[in-house]
Amino acid sequence: MQSLTSALRLWHTVRHLKFVQIVGRVRFRLSRPTPDLRAAPALRSFLGIWCEPAHRRQSLFSPTKFNFLNDERDLSQHGFDDESLPKLWRYNLHYFDDLTAQHARERSEWHRGFIEQWINENSPARGTGWEPYPTSLRIVNWIKWIRAGNEPSERMLNSLAVQTRWLAKRLEWHLLGNHLFINAKALLFAGLFFDGDEARAWCATAQRILRVQIPEQILADGGQFERSPMYHALALEDMLDLTNIMRAYPSVIDASYAATVAARVDGMRRFLAAMCHPDGEVSFFNDSAIGVAPPPTDLDAYAQRLGFPARALLEDGVIHFAESGYIRVQHGSMIAILDVGEIGPSYLPGHAHADTLSMELSINGERILTNSGTGEYGLSAERLRQRGTAAHNTVSIGAADSSEVWSGFRVARRAHPFGLSITESMTESSVEAGGVVRITCAHDGFRWLKGRPRHKRTWVFSLKSVEITDAITWSAGAQPSPSCIDRTPIAHWHCAVLVASSSTVSVSLQPRESSPITLTITGGELALARTTFHPEFGVIRYQPKILAAISGACITTRIVW
């Protein structure tokens, strides 16, 4: 029976893949190209303007000491490919992000030594550092470092060329998404940085990929198609970097093509702003964490250095990102972000969480309710828990997730939202009546359970409160009895603030800098639990969680401030 379940799960996963992914995976595994070690081509004449790019956190703290994912290690004790270290940590080591991090100029000699050490200790086409994704990021970061005014050695330039030739043979068609996008970005950077026929071929390949991938990955509403605010911030940085490098070599790239890339930027900036809380950082939907992408404020400053206009402040009201499936409701001191969309592209759900109909909430500038964040990648039980429905502010049924997340980056059966309705009225009379915005949406993610339950959530936002009603509908005669624990629907609320007091129907939440907030439920029984919150990779914080078991057909949660 277990083997049949596993086979069905695998089928529900692979049936969504594109043909190019399947063929690409076979080719990628069977292909054994040899590295091309010829000397680098000549450098292209630099005729344009290079703008200072966005900055990440400092990650290099001595010539050999690195801190990635809030985990400090010494390279002299581990080397570049120590398999005892997490794969993501080793990936970060090979990215060379510190070359453009905060105050990077002060560490330029350390960087020069690190580059030479990498060349000496990473033989072409061997080890983690030569996988296509870290190779792509390293190519871009090395070129940014040179464009910032650092003089490259001949060995560095030759290595750059060898890496680019290798990358051109190892494009990640089997993964698509942000991996293929980064591959193409690196080819474009190298193709513009170098000159000659070889460089022109890299440019041509990059543009062929980007002409397809940009309109596919950057949706009409400005969101990146994997629906992760963190990966959206990374995609915005990519688009700004592409604009930057094309303007640095204006005679090489057709102006109309460069304009089509730049035209996507302002929509992406607006989307990122809408998916952030008042503290200026991203919300925790899908694989999102603080500290991986440059801060949103830094990305906005980068855009303005490139000549994009200052972004207008978001006003009160409802912003519906129809293609991405997110809604931002802002009214007075309250900001709510709702997930009412698909979990991601059907053929690429690797960064998806089972968070359909989840909500994050800020009041008076402070986060009150958040999803539990992303603290790690890999195949652990904790990684699976962080992706599961119960780690988000939505409803689970028994042990089932709304989308069948499994392994580190896989999803089998998926939730599909339906029935979205938005009614907005900002008149004074509607405020006094208690409702200014009403949003309803449902999903079918539990349809494979006995009784084919459906979850419908309705939000009613008013000036000083939000009321959330969760209804579970079952097929005729299938509603479980209260004693049927394995099928009990539970609404989960992850609190970013302390619980001051509680009862079986009410909780008093205590923000750090404002008056208490009351959360009350009707139609169920309330309990408190202790859970973990992961705002960054490698960070574990303990916080309270409210569990509201639904005793009847629906439960209403009312939050008043």
Side-chain angles (χ1 to χ4, degrees):
M1 185 65 179
Q2 182 63 38
S3 60
L4 176 59
T5 300
S6 297
L8 287 172
R9 184 177 63 184
L10 181 62
W11 162 246
H12 284 297
T13 302
V14 301
R15 69 188 181 90
H16 297 281
L17 296 178
K18 288 188 173 184
F19 179 72
V20 68
Q21 290 175 283
I22 298 171
V23 173
R25 183 170 295 276
V26 173
R27 288 178 176 171
F28 193 84
R29 290 189 174 183
L30 296 180
S31 176
R32 295 290 184 269
T34 56
D36 186 338
L37 305 181
R38 287 175 296 150
L43 299 186
R44 192 183 300 277
S45 297
F46 180 67
L47 300 174
I49 298 174
W50 175 257
C51 287
E52 179 184 355
H55 304 289
R56 283 171 173 75
R57 296 175 180 173
Q58 179 180 344
S59 55
L60 178 63
F61 292 91
S62 84
T64 61
K65 189 175 292 183
F66 296 84
N67 190 310
F68 302 122
L69 313 173
N70 291 291
D71 183 5
E72 188 173 283
R73 306 275 183 162
D74 196 312
L75 181 61
S76 63
Q77 298 176 8
H78 293 281
F80 280 96
D81 217 8
D82 185 345
E83 293 190 358
S84 69
L85 298 176
K87 182 69 173 284
L88 187 58
W89 199 98
R90 284 182 282 145
Y91 257 40
N92 275 267
L93 178 64
H94 292 278
Y95 292 165
F96 279 76
D97 279 342
D98 196 74
L99 270 60
T100 60
Q102 296 166 348
H103 311 296
R105 290 182 182 276
E106 300 172 5
R107 301 184 297 281
S108 59
E109 288 308 308
W110 292 357
H111 294 153
R112 190 177 303 278
F114 182 36
I115 290 167
E116 289 297 315
Q117 184 181 2
W118 188 90
I119 295 171
N120 290 335
E121 298 182 19
N122 290 270
S123 301
R126 296 180 61 185
T128 300
W130 286 85
E131 292 183 24
Y133 190 74
T135 298
S136 299
L137 293 177
R138 186 173 55 252
I139 289 169
V140 170
N141 283 327
W142 283 19
I143 292 174
K144 285 183 178 180
W145 186 78
I146 296 168
R147 282 273 61 92
N150 296 288
E151 187 66 29
S153 67
E154 183 178 353
R155 293 186 76 227
M156 181 184 185
L157 294 176
N158 287 338
S159 178
L160 258 177
V162 172
Q163 293 176 56
T164 307
R165 294 180 189 124
W166 175 253
L167 175 64
K169 301 174 183 177
R170 304 293 285 169
L171 299 177
E172 295 174 283
W173 290 102
H174 60 300
L175 297 178
L176 297 177
N178 68 305
H179 278 246
L180 184 62
F181 196 107
I182 293 298
N183 299 163
K185 175 185 171 182
L187 289 182
L188 189 68
F189 262 68
L192 293 174
F193 181 72
F194 291 110
D195 202 356
D197 291 342
E198 189 175 29
R200 281 189 285 274
W202 294 335
C203 272
T205 299
Q207 289 183 81
R208 282 198 301 272
I209 294 172
L210 292 172
R211 286 183 190 278
V212 174
Q213 294 302 314
I214 288 176
E216 181 168 356
Q217 295 195 29
I218 310 304
L219 303 175
D221 59 16
Q224 199 266 357
F225 76 155
E226 292 188 72
R227 276 83 166 179
S228 160
M230 182 187 83
Y231 278 93
H232 175 87
L234 292 170
L236 174 56
E237 181 189 28
D238 292 335
M239 295 293 280
L240 293 171
D241 283 346
L242 290 174
T243 299
N244 201 1
I245 195 71
M246 289 190 289
R247 290 180 180 176
Y249 298 93
S251 62
V252 183
I253 300 295
D254 181 81
S256 63
Y257 175 72
T260 63
V261 174
R264 299 270 180 171
V265 166
D266 281 336
M268 297 180 73
R269 292 169 67 199
R270 182 172 183 264
F271 181 88
L272 179 59
M275 295 301 294
C276 286
H277 286 271
D279 60 15
E281 278 291 358
V282 295
S283 50
F284 301 117
F285 294 93
N286 289 323
D287 273 346
S288 287
I290 295 169
V292 175
T297 52
D298 206 287
L299 289 170
D300 205 57
Y302 182 21
Q304 292 186 55
R305 287 195 295 273
L306 286 168
F308 292 95
R311 185 183 52 78
L313 294 177
L314 299 173
E315 298 180 351
D316 277 11
V318 177
I319 304 175
H320 179 206
F321 296 99
E323 290 78 19
S324 300
Y326 288 106
I327 297 173
R328 176 188 175 94
V329 181
Q330 179 172 323
H331 191 52
S333 64
M334 183 277 300
I335 292 172
I337 305 172
L338 320 179
D339 180 357
V340 295
E342 299 289 341
I343 61 170
S346 61
Y347 64 90
L348 194 68
H351 294 296
H353 288 202
D355 59 1
T356 305
L357 302 189
S358 184
M359 173 184 78
E360 292 201 350
L361 179 70
S362 280
I363 298 171
N364 294 321
E366 186 173 348
R367 298 191 193 216
I368 304 301
L369 299 175
T370 69
N371 298 313
S372 65
T374 301
E376 62 182 69
Y377 282 167
L379 302 176
S380 69
E382 175 59 18
R383 162 68 172 162
L384 191 62
R385 185 198 70 81
Q386 290 175 19
R387 297 180 74 202
T389 299
H392 302 85
N393 295 316
T394 187
V395 172
S396 67
I397 297 181
D401 293 317
S402 57
S403 288
E404 197 176 7
V405 293
W406 65 285
S407 188
F409 300 93
R410 305 199 185 281
V411 185
R413 290 169 288 202
R414 299 100 190 264
H416 300 291
F418 62 92
L420 176 63
S421 171
I422 304 173
T423 304
E424 180 180 5
S425 173
M426 288 297 182
T427 65
E428 289 299 320
S429 60
S430 67
V431 171
E432 294 171 1
V436 292
V437 176
R438 182 185 181 91
I439 299 171
T440 299
C441 191
H443 77 82
D444 62 358
F446 300 114
R447 64 192 179 279
W448 51 277
L449 295 177
K450 184 178 180 181
R452 300 179 63 82
R454 301 291 195 270
H455 172 208
K456 182 172 77 171
R457 171 167 278 187
T458 299
W459 295 265
V460 179
F461 296 93
S462 60
L463 188 61
K464 291 290 184 179
S465 70
V466 55
E467 189 172 277
I468 306 105
T469 299
D470 291 299
I472 306 297
T473 57
W474 306 77
S475 59
Q479 183 170 339
S481 66
S483 62
C484 189
I485 298 174
D486 64 329
R487 295 174 63 200
T488 300
I490 297 176
H492 303 263
W493 300 109
H494 296 257
C495 305
V497 295
L498 296 177
V499 172
S501 61
S502 67
S503 69
T504 57
V505 294
S506 181
V507 166
S508 177
L509 303 174
Q510 182 57 65
R512 285 178 288 276
E513 298 182 4
S514 59
S515 302
I517 295 169
T518 302
L519 184 150
T520 305
I521 66 165
T522 55
E525 186 172 328
L526 182 153
L528 289 178
R530 191 167 181 248
T531 188
T532 56
F533 171 51
H534 308 271
E536 301 182 19
F537 278 87
V539 171
I540 301 174
R541 294 180 185 170
Y542 292 92
Q543 66 181 28
K545 173 182 177 180
I546 301 167
L547 301 98
I550 304 176
S551 57
C554 68
I555 190 171
T556 297
T557 304
R558 182 173 173 80
I559 303 170
V560 180
W561 55 93

